[in-house]
Amino acid sequence: MIGNLQEVAGVDPQVEGLPAQAELVRRRSMGLGLTRPEIAVLLAQSKNLVTQELLASEIPDDEAFSHCLVDYFPAAIAEYARAELSRHPLRREIVATAVAGELINRVGPGTIYRMQERLGVTTAQVARAYATVRDILDLDALWAAELARYSDEGHRIQALLQVRELIEHLTSWVLRTGTAGHTQVSTAISRLVTAAAPQADAV
């Protein structure tokens, strides 16, 4: 991921305080990874890159992401000035930033990069496929349910990682098969989730 950010976004690891390749190799040999500050930098730079890529696409103008603009503002303002929101001068930037933040927070920069490498898709295509999966799974409710299910932080993290794997699997499937026909996609995803359930229960 660091190499990708360096190549695509011009991120300088030394300036950003990120480890060089040799240091990463040394840590890997010792069973070590990135520190929390390094992860924070990596996530922030990844969000910046994804935001710029989405701004260069039609995602900010896609009706499927219009809720991001409404959700950005306090409920009272959004309700009172809903008609004016579509004319906000930073409308596209707000939507792109919100979508990028959700993508990175829910699936992680590594997932996006893997899909791009494996399937030859763009960030915008990943965002659209993810949105399809999010809506069909009611991902906000699923995420909240997993957080509420466990009091132990370790169990919570493990549960959310499983949800993330499910999202990656289904988003990849949508990218490979297409998103035409919401009902057909929803039915197919339901079958995939049902088929995967016994395996998840057995873990």
Side-chain angles (χ1 to χ4, degrees):
M1 279 304 305
I2 295 176
N4 181 60
L5 286 172
Q6 187 174 6
E7 179 181 349
V8 178
V11 172
D12 187 332
Q14 186 173 1
V15 172
E16 298 295 340
L18 295 172
Q21 183 62 32
E23 172 62 13
L24 288 173
V25 172
R26 186 189 71 82
R27 292 186 192 180
R28 197 173 296 120
S29 68
M30 300 173 62
L32 301 175
L34 297 174
T35 64
R36 287 184 180 273
E38 290 167 350
I39 292 173
V41 170
L42 190 62
L43 291 176
Q45 291 292 350
S46 295
K47 287 180 181 179
N48 289 340
L49 173 59
V50 171
T51 298
Q52 293 307 312
E53 290 176 336
L54 293 178
L55 272 173
S57 74
E58 297 179 356
I59 289 295
D61 307 306
D62 192 321
E63 187 63 27
F65 300 96
S66 60
H67 68 281
C68 294
L69 181 63
V70 176
D71 293 344
Y72 176 80
F73 295 93
I77 294 178
E79 182 178 357
Y80 178 77
R82 183 176 291 267
E84 284 73 26
L85 294 184
S86 62
R87 298 192 293 273
H88 194 287
L90 296 177
R91 173 186 59 81
R92 299 187 87 255
E93 286 78 4
I94 291 172
V95 173
T97 301
V99 174
E102 182 173 349
L103 276 172
I104 297 299
N105 292 339
R106 288 281 172 83
V107 303
T111 298
I112 299 173
Y113 179 70
R114 283 193 298 273
M115 290 182 187
Q116 291 172 330
E117 289 290 296
R118 188 170 65 243
L119 303 175
V121 295
T122 65
T123 299
Q125 288 173 310
V126 173
R128 284 198 177 91
Y130 164 81
T132 298
V133 172
R134 178 199 64 203
D135 293 344
I136 291 172
L137 292 182
D138 192 3
L139 189 54
D140 288 342
L142 176 60
W143 200 267
E146 291 302 311
L147 285 174
R149 181 175 300 176
Y150 303 102
S151 58
D152 179 74
E153 190 64 23
H155 290 156
R156 280 184 174 180
I157 292 174
Q158 187 60 37
L160 293 180
L161 286 175
Q162 290 178 346
V163 172
R164 176 175 287 186
E165 289 177 3
L166 176 64
I167 295 170
E168 180 175 358
H169 176 67
L170 295 178
T171 301
S172 295
W173 181 85
V174 171
L175 285 167
R176 289 195 305 270
T177 60
T179 57
H182 189 282
T183 301
Q184 291 91 327
V185 173
S186 179
T187 301
I189 285 180
S190 296
R191 289 173 180 167
L192 286 173
V193 172
T194 301
Q199 300 177 20
D201 293 339
V203 175

